[in-house]
Amino acid sequence: MSKPIQFEDRICSFGASVGLAYFDPAAGGSIETALTNADIALNAAKQDGRGLCRIFESKMREATLHHILMTQQIKAGITAHQFEPHYQPQINAMTGEIIGFEALIRWHHPDRGLVPAFEFLLAAERAGLMDQLDAVVLDRACFAVTQMISWGLLQPRVSVNMSMAQILDPDITDKILQNVGAYGISPDNLRVELLESTLIEDESTVIIDNVHRLIQAGFAIELDDFGTGHSAIATLRKFAVSRIKIDRSLVQNISKDTELQVITGAIVELANRLGVRVLAEGVETQAEQEMINHLGCQYAQGYLHGRPMPLDDLKNWINQHRTSLKTAAYPQSSVLG
Ligand code: C2E
Ligand code: CA
Ligand code: CA
């Protein structure tokens, strides 16, 4: 099946996933059960990466039931407005100035409390619900900008994470522009974070067109988790990225690990030469921050500076941060954000 065939002037490729289940009437099995089990195995084959054959095992049934339950709960949660982003500050580590916030989705689950992103994003993606969740975050992020303006922030900027589902949507730029317009804010108030893997792995023209359209409309594009992919440099050249975010795995322990220092230093130098800004993610300790500064990376985000927090707590955090700036240990702390 996988052999490409010619149709008119096109080469067409096909694929198949296969689910198998044993049917043993002697053991009391029914055809219906065997077909359901084969379906479950087929589902497992697709989830394991497509183009595979899987034979039914009873543990697959549990996984499928769990998936169905999660999907139902996420759908119900969207309807009941249980999803809402928290906001993590991003700062200029030299001056202490606040340069923006990243919107990170959270689930206020009625029984489980606050559920972190990694516990439900994969399930949401598999269930095809990512674009709905991203739409919620986008809407809330626009609202957050209006709040920040009302608190006196002159040029607030909120970064939103864009999923594969969104960047594959040919109308995404118009949808975001509509949202921005509805809140009376400007594209300048939003930054769009894309994973390096999204841009590298799928060469589809929809993605390339969308990125160009977003940039034309005035949204800054940022490359998330930088340093974890393969052809990072090619991506930088191809898309007019305004900032890269150095992945936490390169930042963690950087104060002690000379290899990490060399890699990160090289990334910063490359970005600086290309005129791309650099932000270090997941900065947890003062020692890490000092090393990051030493390597010439100006911007930072991480628990050292502020954890992701609900919008309601943000105003207080901003006020406290501004007060602490007047006394704080930033190398050039004269500029107030
Ligand atoms: P990310 O975009 O790399 O976001 C940074 C993650 O690192 C966040 O986890 C944040 O809470 C965490 N973090 C920040 N500072 C520190 C630190 O100093 N130390 C440590 N250990 N962790 C830190 P979170 O919120 O659980 O999000 C995980 C991932 O889920 C995100 O990684 C992002 O890829 C995805 N995600 C989160 N919200 C959204 C969303 O609204 N839409 C989409 N498409 N993806 C999202
Ligand atoms: Ca991100
Ligand atoms: Ca990241």
Side-chain angles (χ1 to χ4, degrees):
M1 262 201 85
S2 60
K3 206 170 151 191
I5 58 160
Q6 180 131 15
F7 173 71
E8 293 176 351
D9 57 346
R10 286 160 182 259
I11 303 290
C12 304
S13 300
F14 300 89
S17 302
V18 179
L20 281 182
Y22 292 107
F23 171 50
D24 185 0
S30 71
I31 291 184
E32 287 75 19
T33 311
L35 285 175
T36 307
N37 289 349
D39 257 348
I40 290 173
L42 172 61
N43 201 31
K46 286 181 183 167
Q47 290 196 0
D48 288 351
R50 295 176 179 270
L52 300 168
C53 174
R54 288 279 176 266
I55 300 172
F56 176 77
E57 293 170 61
S58 51
K59 67 172 188 227
M60 286 177 183
R61 191 183 290 132
E62 279 159 43
T64 304
L65 283 178
H66 176 75
H67 176 69
I68 292 171
L69 196 72
M70 263 306 251
T71 305
Q72 282 170 351
Q73 287 191 356
I74 294 173
K75 278 184 184 162
I78 294 172
T79 314
H81 305 290
Q82 289 165 3
F83 291 95
E84 198 204 352
H86 280 190
Y87 301 87
Q88 184 174 34
Q90 302 173 328
I91 66 148
N92 180 330
M94 299 290 176
T95 62
E97 182 190 7
I98 300 167
I99 56 157
F101 300 90
E102 178 175 5
L104 292 156
I105 195 164
R106 298 290 179 267
W107 186 1
H108 297 267
H109 196 280
D111 309 322
R112 291 162 61 196
L114 195 68
V115 186
F118 70 89
E119 283 188 28
F120 60 87
L121 282 188
L122 195 63
E125 207 177 300
R126 283 181 176 170
L129 295 170
M130 233 14 253
D131 50 345
Q132 289 187 47
L133 289 180
D134 281 332
V136 171
V137 173
L138 177 67
D139 184 75
R140 293 294 81 201
C142 291
F143 173 71
V145 168
T146 65
Q147 290 296 99
M148 291 173 194
I149 292 171
S150 78
W151 302 334
L153 260 72
L154 294 178
Q155 189 55 278
R157 291 195 168 90
V158 176
S159 303
V160 291
N161 291 282
M162 187 171 274
S163 64
M164 192 65 137
Q166 265 190 317
I167 196 71
L168 282 173
D169 176 353
D171 300 324
I172 191 63
T173 306
D174 291 339
K175 285 180 185 170
I176 301 183
L177 278 173
Q178 255 169 32
N179 227 307
V180 162
Y183 283 95
I185 62 172
S186 103
D188 205 35
N189 293 120
L190 287 188
R191 294 179 171 133
V192 175
E193 291 193 12
L194 287 166
L195 286 170
E196 216 185 316
S197 53
T198 309
L199 296 177
I200 292 166
E201 277 168 22
D202 203 306
E203 286 284 298
S204 97
T205 51
V206 182
I207 294 183
I208 297 170
D209 286 352
N210 273 344
V211 173
H212 291 156
R213 253 184 246 141
L214 283 165
I215 292 173
Q216 258 172 16
F219 299 101
I221 302 290
E222 309 204 333
L223 216 47
D224 205 354
D225 295 359
F226 194 88
T228 56
H230 300 293
S231 49
I233 297 166
T235 320
L236 274 187
R237 288 193 55 204
K238 191 150 130 205
F239 300 98
V241 174
S242 69
R243 190 163 70 181
I244 58 173
K245 300 185 76 179
I246 297 184
D247 191 61
R248 193 164 74 221
S249 58
L250 293 176
V251 174
Q252 218 168 22
N253 299 321
I254 195 167
S255 55
K256 293 174 221 130
D257 188 326
T258 47
E259 202 172 280
L260 290 181
Q261 291 165 16
V262 172
I263 297 170
T264 306
I267 293 178
V268 174
E269 198 185 318
L270 173 81
N272 284 343
R273 288 195 179 197
L274 291 173
V276 175
R277 284 189 274 270
V278 193
L279 179 145
E281 278 194 304
V283 180
E284 292 186 356
T285 66
Q286 192 59 43
E288 284 166 6
Q289 184 58 64
E290 276 161 21
M291 181 50 69
I292 297 289
N293 284 353
H294 174 73
L295 295 173
C297 170
Q298 219 178 350
Y299 305 112
Q301 179 181 346
Y303 294 168
L304 175 70
H305 303 290
R307 291 199 173 234
M309 61 195 113
L311 187 60
D312 287 346
D313 295 352
L314 213 54
K315 192 178 176 188
N316 267 341
W317 183 90
I318 293 169
N319 288 335
Q320 270 170 18
H321 180 81
R322 283 177 159 174
T323 313
S324 77
L325 260 190
K326 291 176 187 144
T327 55
Y330 292 102
Q332 306 150 18
S333 69
S334 59
V335 188
L336 291 184

